[in-house]
Every structure is written in C-alpha cells, then in structure tokens.
Amino acid sequence: MPSIAENIGQIEKGLKQETRLIAVTKTKPEEVLLEAYEAGCKRFGENKVQEMTAKYEALPKDIEWHMIGHLQTNKVKYMAPYVALVQSVDSFKLLKEINKEAVKNQRVIDCLLQIFIAQEETKFGLSEEEAVEILTAPALKTLKNVRILGLMGMASNTEEEQVIRNEFRGLKALFESFKKYNNEQISMQALSMGMSADYTIAMEEGSTLVRVGSAIFGSR
Ligand SMILES: *Cc1c(COP(=O)(O)O)cnc(C)c1O
C-alpha cells in the first residue's frame, strides 16, 4: 500500500495550478494528521467542531483548518478563534452566529455557501434561491466580520460520470453568475468541489479546492 506521503504527492502532482488540496482528516487520529503535515500538507478539513478543535490544540499552529460539515450554531464559538474557512454555511442564521463569534475574537471569518447540487435528499445545502436571498440580504451588510468567498457543493454519489459532471458544471455556472454580487463582503473566488471519487472531474469543471479523504488516508 502506498504511504500517506506518496498519496499526497500523487494527488498534488495531478492538480491544476488554480486548485488546492484540502486533506479531509475526519475520524483520523492526530499521528496520521502529523504524517500528512510532515509530507507538506497543511490544509485539513474536518466535519465536527469538537474533533477539529482537539486536533487544532494538539497540532502545529501553521495548519489551516477548514470546517466542511453541517454546523450547529452553539458550536461555532469553539472554532471561531482559529478556523481558516467555514465551507458549510447553509443558513443566514449560521452566518450571523459566525459573525458574532468573529467579533468576539476580533477577526474576520471567511466562509463559503454550501449549495445543494446532488440528487440525494440527505445532503445539506442551499438552493440557488436561498443562496441569492443570503447574498442580497440587506442585513448581510451589518455582518462585517464575515466574508463570503465562494461556494461549496457535493455531487451525487453515483458511478455515472455525466451526472456528476453536470452537477459540478451547474455549480460552476452559479459561482460565475454570483460574481455580480461581489462587494466588500462578497468575493466569489473559491469553488470547493470534488472528493476522492470525483475530484478529477471537479477540477476539469473549475474547482479551486478539492476535499480528499479516503484517497489519501484509506477508507474510514
Ligand atoms: C468526508 C467528506 C469529504 C471527503 O470524502 P472522501 O470520499 O473520503 O474523499 C469531502 N467533503 C465532505 C463535505 C466530506 O464530508
């Protein structure tokens, strides 16, 4: 079996210039993260605040922590001091809470809106209309400690490449069309799409952040 370092090297080699790798480390113990860190990977994605915070506390401080899981508002405070990018914003209420905790920490927290693009009903995310509502909400202007830097989405869990490709293509088109909302707080520059099974397709369709777990660390 190839090592974690070899897997990371292999994936990095295939990335486009505009694409960054987020190693998805959920459920993996700290020594495994350290192995990835020593292989040069310093962007980690986690889906639970408590787990991410424990790892943040134990590991080197130059790691970028990305929240990629569904968030409860009462957990936001634990990650507010250090989180690099909250990729899974799926309500205005959550954005308000992130802003509140960002104010307390005297920082600006960067966020992505998670858009629902899959066929399954189980995946979280906003519809296009709901995303537009957030981007155009007059109250957004009062949330000065959050910035919306782009969109995140998960494609359907299917073997049908064309289905996946169309979902990513749709998200890319939405991302481009949302650039019309760019202002002091909104700057559409990051498009997070692609996981172990589909990141190559995602990259071809314009992804700037791929979130890869099992292809680096093995199955969970
Ligand atoms: C777990 C997870 C990933 C990584 O999945 P793999 O198939 O292991 O690469 C990517 N994005 C999100 C939102 C996840 O929850």
Side-chain angles (χ1 to χ4, degrees):
M1 244 172 53
S3 68
I4 287 173
E6 284 166 334
N7 289 339
I8 290 172
Q10 194 63 36
I11 293 167
E12 289 275 5
K13 216 167 61 189
L15 291 185
K16 290 195 177 180
Q17 207 186 342
E18 67 271 21
T19 313
R20 297 284 170 273
L21 172 65
I22 313 292
V24 175
T25 50
K26 62 191 185 198
T27 76
K28 299 295 170 186
E30 283 153 21
E31 47 296 0
V32 169
L33 277 67
L34 210 47
E35 203 178 326
Y37 177 84
E38 276 155 11
C41 183
K42 300 191 175 170
R43 289 185 211 95
F44 294 154
E46 290 277 337
N47 67 344
K48 293 205 172 74
V49 174
Q50 268 128 323
E51 184 178 338
M52 182 168 82
T53 302
K55 288 171 175 173
Y56 161 76
E57 282 167 1
L59 292 169
K61 292 297 170 283
D62 60 338
I63 293 170
E64 263 184 34
W65 295 95
H66 292 241
M67 173 43 63
I68 61 170
H70 183 65
L71 270 169
Q72 290 166 296
T73 50
N74 61 353
K75 302 280 169 61
V76 170
K77 58 177 176 284
Y78 301 111
M79 64 176 186
Y82 68 88
V83 69
L85 184 64
V86 182
Q87 297 202 9
S88 45
V89 172
D90 59 2
S91 70
F92 192 79
K93 179 173 162 233
L94 180 59
L95 205 55
K96 258 171 76 174
E97 182 67 18
I98 295 169
N99 182 74
K100 190 179 104 190
E101 295 301 327
V103 169
K104 283 189 196 163
N105 286 277
Q106 298 177 300
R107 61 179 297 231
V108 172
I109 297 182
D110 292 333
C111 300
L112 306 181
L113 297 182
Q114 183 174 353
I115 308 293
F116 177 85
I117 56 170
Q119 297 167 327
E120 293 109 68
E121 297 205 348
T122 53
K123 290 186 177 150
F124 293 102
L126 301 158
S127 66
E128 174 175 351
E129 293 69 30
E130 290 166 331
V132 169
E133 241 173 76
I134 292 177
L135 293 169
T136 60
L140 181 62
K141 295 202 169 51
T142 67
L143 308 184
K144 295 195 184 307
N145 290 60
V146 291
R147 283 195 306 180
I148 298 176
L149 293 191
L151 305 179
M152 187 267 259
M154 289 166 87
S156 294
N157 184 10
T158 171
E159 301 281 296
E160 287 179 70
E161 187 183 318
Q162 201 53 49
V163 170
I164 295 169
R165 189 175 292 283
N166 285 341
E167 289 170 356
F168 286 149
R169 196 166 289 180
L171 187 58
K172 165 73 169 171
L174 201 60
F175 173 73
E176 291 299 329
S177 80
F178 281 177
K179 287 184 177 172
K180 64 176 173 281
Y181 300 119
N182 282 359
N183 58 29
E184 271 151 52
Q185 269 173 307
I186 302 169
S187 170
M188 289 288 154
Q189 48 182 274
L191 182 56
S192 177
M193 55 186 199
M195 315 185 0
S196 292
D198 56 20
Y199 75 88
T200 309
I201 306 171
M203 222 165 30
E204 288 165 4
E205 297 302 330
S207 175
T208 71
L209 295 171
V210 291
R211 309 177 309 273
V212 180
S214 48
I216 298 173
F217 302 109
S219 59
R220 283 179 296 273

